[in-house]
Amino acid sequence: MTVIPRDRHTISRKDISENALKVLYRLNKAGYEAYLVGGGVRDLLLGKKPKDFDISTNATPEQMRKLFRNCRLVGRRFRLAHVMFGPEVIEVATFRSHHETASGEPTDRNDSQRGQNGMLLRDNVFGSIEDDAQRRDLTINSLYYSVADFTVRDYIGGLSDLQQGIIRMIGDPETRYREDPVRMLRVVRFAAKLDMGVAAETAEPIPRLATLLRDVPAARLFEEALKLLQAGFGHATYLKLCEFQLFQPLFPLITRYFTEQGDSNMERMIVQVLKNTDHRLQNQMRVNPAFLFAAMFWYPQLEASQKIAQESGLAWYEAFALAMNDVLDEACRSLAIPKRITTLIRDIWMLQLRLSRRHGKRAWKLMEHPKFRAAYDLLALRAQVEENPELQRLSSWWSEFQVSAPPQQKTMLNTLGDDPSPRRRTRRPRKRTPNQDSKRSGGNNA
């Protein structure tokens, strides 16, 4: 163990959340060991502002609940204590130990349990801080800061790796990946986020074991996908996911359309939407996962629509609607995208069919749609990616129309002239019942 005294590191209490300090002080006062640990310590040492502050202690979750009235216990696989301070949650974990005794015998199966493939199903074996340091995933996330003496404790060389810019898995990487395949995604995420290299022994097993991600619940992979792609470094992460062959288990439908040259419309779309997302996040602007996924899956959706239309003879609108179901169903098999998001994706896609229909009051009605702006942004991305003159003209028209005064908007609509947006019906005639014959059927404005 290496103990770094206060005068040899850059961590200051003024940079630590007041609520995290309250938890640390109360645990120490009650006689427990307690340390700031993980990403909070890592980021403070790098001079960055931590996103959150996690704590590790020798107090058990039940002891935590007795000590803090504003505490709730969460997790089955990893039992954690969440201490609630309004919108801020301080996560407290009890020191974890190994899953075997010194003689190699397994610990109590009620506390630790593995699946047949080596994946940890339950991990509530408690131990000392030395044990806990060995049980963490990456060396750079295994540094401990104490408010008792203001020292940083390093048990496995994490400070050296942090200074050298190396992502290194603690223990045998293949064993650790089999215990929890999501650790492979964490390696890639931190390498991209911190612009660090990956140690050779940490990197080598990843392409071989990438398919283990298929054993991870789709709901968990959805949350991991958001961390990977919507945290401000999505483009760099995407490149590393492809390099380590981890993108395919997350997005098998998309990788089916990858080309050797990497220059298809879909691949250019992914690069551009991720760069745009990174730009927005770095400028403190909001992002919506529905738009990201709508853009990423747009070309698979388009190709599926064309295939259905050709094979079934259905009208384009109907083929497009059927393809939406197929594409989103397949996407949700690997990532459990919530219905609230798939609903928005459908809206954004369906509006792509309506944006060229601007005559009469349609343009104004379209702008009233809650997802108009997202649909317009996707149209602009498509125009940029495809370099299609017609799409570029349409995108430019909408750009001008949105910022124009009503009189100018009216003039723009009146001068559409021979605009290539047909008013003809897109549906094939259907046999109608006598009741339906008495009704007039208008164009599709939905």
Side-chain angles (χ1 to χ4, degrees), residues 59-225:
T60 66
E62 288 70 24
Q63 288 169 332
M64 282 291 303
R65 184 159 52 183
K66 291 178 181 177
L67 194 60
F68 294 90
R69 292 172 56 189
N70 54 332
C71 171
R72 66 173 184 174
L73 303 187
V74 300
R76 180 178 300 173
R77 182 170 174 268
F78 296 105
R79 197 70 169 153
L80 300 168
H82 281 180
V83 186
M84 322 295 288
F85 295 92
E88 184 177 17
V89 177
I90 305 300
E91 187 172 279
V92 185
T94 305
F95 295 149
R96 301 195 184 282
S97 185
H98 299 284
H99 303 282
E100 293 83 22
T101 63
S103 62
E105 292 297 318
T107 54
D108 187 346
R109 290 187 58 84
N110 291 325
D111 296 320
S112 177
Q113 185 179 355
R114 294 178 187 265
Q116 292 182 348
N117 56 4
M119 189 185 301
L120 279 174
L121 304 179
R122 191 181 299 273
D123 182 18
N124 289 302
V125 183
F126 303 138
S128 66
I129 185 173
E130 291 83 3
D131 295 329
D132 191 71
Q134 293 290 336
R135 286 289 303 129
R136 292 190 172 270
D137 53 4
L138 306 176
T139 59
I140 61 170
N141 289 340
S142 189
L143 296 165
Y144 299 75
Y145 172 76
S146 169
V147 292
D149 57 11
F150 315 121
T151 60
V152 172
R153 300 190 176 200
D154 181 4
Y155 293 86
I156 34 79
L159 190 61
S160 174
D161 284 343
L162 193 65
Q163 292 167 342
Q164 295 180 57
I166 297 174
I167 303 294
R168 191 188 310 277
M169 182 64 60
I170 299 170
D172 176 62
E174 181 162 342
T175 301
R176 303 305 302 278
Y177 296 149
R178 289 188 181 279
E179 286 177 349
D180 184 0
V182 168
R183 285 176 177 146
M184 294 184 285
L185 298 179
R186 287 173 59 79
V187 167
V188 166
R189 177 157 64 90
F190 286 118
K193 175 183 179 181
L194 303 174
D195 192 22
M196 291 183 173
V198 180
E201 69 278 6
T202 297
E204 186 277 329
I206 294 179
R208 291 191 289 106
L209 303 178
T211 55
L212 291 177
L213 287 172
R214 294 171 184 164
D215 297 329
V216 178
R220 188 179 178 205
L221 288 185
F222 170 75
E223 297 299 332
E224 290 298 325

Side-chain angles (χ1 to χ4, degrees), residues 384-446:
Q384 179 182 354
V385 164
E386 297 180 28
E387 300 179 355
N388 180 314
E390 187 175 325
L391 276 180
Q392 289 172 343
R393 283 195 298 271
L394 183 60
S395 175
S396 296
W397 188 93
W398 275 111
S399 298
E400 183 180 351
F401 187 79
Q402 291 176 72
V403 298
S404 297
Q408 187 180 349
Q409 289 179 331
K410 191 171 184 180
T411 301
M412 291 178 68
L413 291 171
N414 290 336
T415 55
L416 280 174
D418 297 328
D419 189 84
S421 56
R423 292 193 179 202
R424 65 179 181 274
R425 291 157 48 92
T426 57
R427 296 182 181 179
R428 294 182 302 166
R430 296 178 179 176
K431 292 182 179 180
R432 298 185 175 278
T433 63
N435 288 338
Q436 289 175 318
D437 288 336
S438 63
K439 301 177 182 178
R440 290 187 60 190
S441 61
N444 185 351
N445 293 327

